[in-house]
Structures are given as structure tokens and as C-alpha cells.
Amino acid sequence: KDTVERAIKKASGQSDENYEEITYEGYGPNGVAIIIECLTDNKNRTVSEVRNVLSKNGGSLGTKGSVVHLFKRVGIMKIDNIKEDELLDHIESLEILDIEQINDGCVITIESSELFNAKKYFESKGLTTKDEEIIMDPQTQVEVSNEDKEKVSSLSSKIEELDDVQNVYMNVNII
């Protein structure tokens, strides 16, 4: 009962505990680079859990700065009811890094510092934006065998299951 009540207080922000953001870097099977973003009230517990999952699944915890150079912080957002060619008219007003057509809209990648300005720009043009977020985009992709893809996918799932983990980024394409 106490555990459930603490979890409810934690989720609703009623807890008086202090939380801090921590980013861990590491490696998975076949040298896959991993960035793990956490929000925790106990750094020792969190690092222990992350290290344990990594080591039990063919990975290892790296030092600060060991893999972050393999990623770039970018902003992404979805714009509804627009075609890729229509979006090209706006490319001169914004420094759009990438455009991908998805169903009835587009997903754009933009410099992270310009995400808020891009949202304001598109909304001023009467376009609907959603799912804006800043992510760590891998600059290179590691090729892995089918066997290693299963290991990497399993590792990713196990890391994401940890309570304090907010985001997991890897430089491998698992499709």
C-alpha cells in the first residue's frame, strides 16, 4: 500500500523528493552506442539498475562523453495535413534538416534551438503541429546481424522498463 501511495505522489508531483536528470552513456552488443536519459531521486539506485541491465545483456556502462559525440540533439515535429512539396515552400524561412512524408502530414527535423520558433512559424501559417520533442539523433548507424538485432531490441526493452528511464537512444536501426 505504501509503495502504491508513493508512486501516486511521485507521478502527481505531490512528493517532496528532489529529482534530477541524469544521462548515462554505454555500449550494447556489437559496439552499439546507447544514451539513456533518466529522471531520478536516487542516483546510486539508478546507476546500479542501468549498469546491471547493460552487463546482463551484453553491454557495458561507458564514461561521460564516451558516445554522445555519435549523436546530435535535434528537434522533431509532425505537421498535419500538408504534403512534402508544400512544405518545401517554407524551407527558406526555417533551417529544416530533414522532411519525411507520413500519411496525411510530414515529420520535420530541425535544429533543437529552433524547435519553438518553427512551431510558432507553422501555427502562424494556420498549420497544426504536434508531437514536438528534442531527441538524440544518431549520426552514424551500426550494422548488426539478425541475432544481434534481437539482443539489441531485448536490451532496449529491458532498459526502457526501468522506472527512472525516460528515453533510450541507440545508433542502430532495428526494423
Side-chain angles (χ1 to χ4, degrees), residues 77 79 93-96 108-111 113-125 127 129 132:
M77 77 171 63
I79 304 167
S93 302
L94 302 165
E95 291 186 40
I96 297 175
I108 66 163
T109 304
I110 194 162
E111 293 290 340
S113 60
E114 292 297 313
L115 185 62
F116 180 71
N117 292 336
K119 178 178 173 59
K120 282 184 8 184
Y121 172 83
F122 287 119
E123 288 177 348
S124 75
K125 301 294 183 189
L127 297 168
T129 64
E132 304 89 5

Side-chain angles (χ1 to χ4, degrees), residues 25-28 34 51 54-55 58-62:
E25 301 175 37
Y27 299 93
I34 305 170
R51 181 181 288 119
L54 285 170
S55 63
S60 63
L61 195 60

Side-chain angles (χ1 to χ4, degrees), residues 10-164:
K10 181 179 176 181
S12 66
Q14 296 175 2
S15 175
D16 58 351
E17 298 173 17
N18 292 324
Y19 291 91
E20 63 182 296
E21 294 177 2
I22 298 179
T23 300
Y24 298 107
E25 301 175 37
Y27 299 93
N30 203 37
V32 171
I34 305 170
I35 293 180
I36 305 163
E37 295 177 341
C38 301
L39 183 65
T40 183
D41 61 340
N42 184 332
K43 291 192 298 189
N44 293 331
R45 180 196 66 235
T46 303
V47 72
S48 175
E49 290 174 348
V50 169
R51 181 181 288 119
N52 187 33
V53 168
L54 285 170
S55 63
K56 285 186 176 182
N57 292 280
S60 63
L61 195 60
T63 59
K64 187 171 180 70
S66 59
V67 300
V68 75
H69 64 279
L70 300 172
F71 295 81
K72 180 178 182 181
R73 187 173 297 278
V74 296
I76 59 170
M77 77 171 63
K78 184 171 191 292
I79 304 167
D80 287 334
N81 302 318
I82 192 168
K83 299 283 185 225
E84 190 172 343
D85 56 337
E86 295 170 36
L87 197 53
L88 293 175
D89 297 337
H90 303 283
I91 213 162
E92 291 178 15
S93 302
L94 302 165
E95 291 186 40
I96 297 175
L97 302 173
D98 191 25
I99 301 171
E100 183 180 348
Q101 183 77 44
I102 296 180
N103 300 330
D104 63 337
C106 289
V107 173
I108 66 163
T109 304
I110 194 162
E111 293 290 340
S112 60
S113 60
E114 292 297 313
L115 185 62
F116 180 71
N117 292 336
K119 178 178 173 59
K120 282 184 8 184
Y121 172 83
F122 287 119
E123 288 177 348
S124 75
K125 301 294 183 189
L127 297 168
T128 304
T129 64
K130 64 181 183 181
D131 299 334
E132 304 89 5
E133 66 178 313
I134 294 177
I135 64 166
M136 296 297 287
D137 187 36
Q139 298 303 292
T140 59
Q141 296 279 329
V142 173
E143 294 295 322
V144 294
S145 67
N146 285 339
E147 178 183 320
D148 283 339
K149 279 184 183 182
E150 290 177 22
K151 288 179 185 176
V152 169
S153 181
S154 173
L155 173 61
S156 177
S157 296
K158 289 176 181 174
I159 292 171
E160 289 173 359
E161 288 173 4
L162 296 175
D163 290 338
D164 295 336

